[in-house]
Amino acid sequence: MLDLNHLESNSKHNRLAVKLTTKGENYVQQGHPWVFSDSITKINTDAKTGDLAIIFGKRNNGMIGIGLYDAKSPIRIKMIYNDSKSVTIDDTFFLRKIQHAYKKRLTLLKTNTTSYRLIFGENDGFPSLIADVYDSILVVKLYSEIWLPYLKTILESLIETSSCDTVVLRLSRGLQNSEAHQLKDGDVIYGTLDNEVIEFKEHGINFSANVIKGHKTGYFLDHRENRKQVGLLSKGKTVLDVFSYAGGFSVHALANGAKEVTSLDISAQALEIAKQNGKLNVYSGKHYTLAGDAFKILEQLILEGKTYDVVVIDPPSFAKQQSEIQLAKKKYAQLARLGEQLTAREGLLVLASCSSRVTATVFYDGNEQTLKSTRRPFSIIQKTQHDSDHPIGFSEGAYLKCGYYRFLD
């Protein structure tokens, strides 16, 4: 275990005076959290990662915002304060921001839920930093070196606000390969951890997450409300959960009385976790698993004449860069076609996207065009975004889209 007192102090870092292009300045004044390198017209020559970047506007030469300088990213300055009012960036500043984020989650925390996202990166004013809570365990994931000088202060505020017993630090691949620190991915940096697999509740349904080795921080919390909705709509039904990972939709469906659930994922290891998550709850339905390429297995199921009352298709991001958007649109259309063929008469098809580069309008329009082309009548039940602990602070922060389509024949 690492002692928080061993973490670096922020006293070593400089303050930078920054001027931007008119376009860059407008973005900052509109509250956008990113300043790209080509927007910077003037900056100190000795700028280094973690330095406080004070951005000055052309008019009156007054301050318009403050960010953290990132020498290794095209997003050269990541904003932590978009305002012209004077402010001191100190322990109190970060504590107030964390407490403000926590208050946004209070409605969720009044439900029978013990897992939540306390800090959602840029959307909560902490670009490149995620903090998720699983029961009494806080998992902090860093995506940039900018936070290393402030880590001790932020962790102390997170611990105070969340009342957690243990903190696990997760690092992005870039930070794992960085020589700017001695931290390791999966370090327990506060408290103790007897078991890397932590159990928690999601609207009364039991789940588990591996906080040391699991994807991201161990689990995907953003779909929580959609999982609850699908569960409530699955009583007495047959359900197909495509790209199921650890079985989020599957387990909610089983716990809510689904007759039969099939979890499909390329990872046999993830499917094993899905089965174990199911067993944390009481259910009477059957739980089957299918391991392999989703597109191929869906085609095979169609050839076999299989249909399901509820089909959920929640793929990983298909467009991690701009050049992949067109291919992503084709894949979403292909999944919508396959999903429609597997959805029973008067069944429900749930289609989701976590590709931030594919906008909600593009995604929903594509789904509707594809489903209309089948000439099968359907109605749109609802369209949803992330759960409430993933607030949207800027347009690019709205990555999750989920559409519910009820067939009428």
Side-chain angles (χ1 to χ4, degrees), residues 28 53-57 62-67 79-84:
V28 169
I54 317 300
I55 299 175
F56 293 92
M63 183 191 80
I64 60 171
I66 301 172
M79 301 299 296
I80 59 173
Y81 182 73
N82 292 70
D83 208 326
S84 58

Side-chain angles (χ1 to χ4, degrees), residues 5-6 30 41 45 65 78 116 140 172 184 186 203 228 233 247 280 290 325 354 371 396:
N5 291 321
H6 292 168
Q30 289 164 11
T41 59
T45 56
K78 297 176 167 70
Y116 66 100
V140 177
S172 67
K184 292 184 177 62
H203 292 300
K228 176 186 174 186
L233 294 167
L280 294 175
L290 291 171
I325 291 176
C354 64
L371 296 181
E396 291 88 341

Side-chain angles (χ1 to χ4, degrees), residues 192-260:
T192 58
L193 191 67
D194 298 326
N195 191 334
E196 61 188 39
V197 177
I198 305 300
E199 293 186 14
F200 59 90
K201 288 185 183 295
E202 186 176 279
H203 292 300
I205 310 298
N206 297 315
F207 283 94
S208 65
N210 189 316
V211 296
I212 302 292
K213 298 172 188 167
H215 286 309
K216 306 291 185 179
T217 64
Y219 195 66
F220 296 95
L221 300 171
D222 49 6
H223 258 310
R224 185 190 303 102
E225 184 62 25
N226 287 316
R227 291 191 286 262
K228 176 186 174 186
Q229 296 268 21
V230 166
L232 294 173
L233 294 167
S234 297
K235 185 175 177 60
K237 308 288 188 183
T238 58
V239 179
L240 176 63
D241 180 7
V242 188
F243 303 101
S244 63
Y245 183 52
F249 288 100
S250 300
V251 175
H252 270 274
L254 287 166
N256 278 279
K259 182 167 59 178
E260 174 191 301

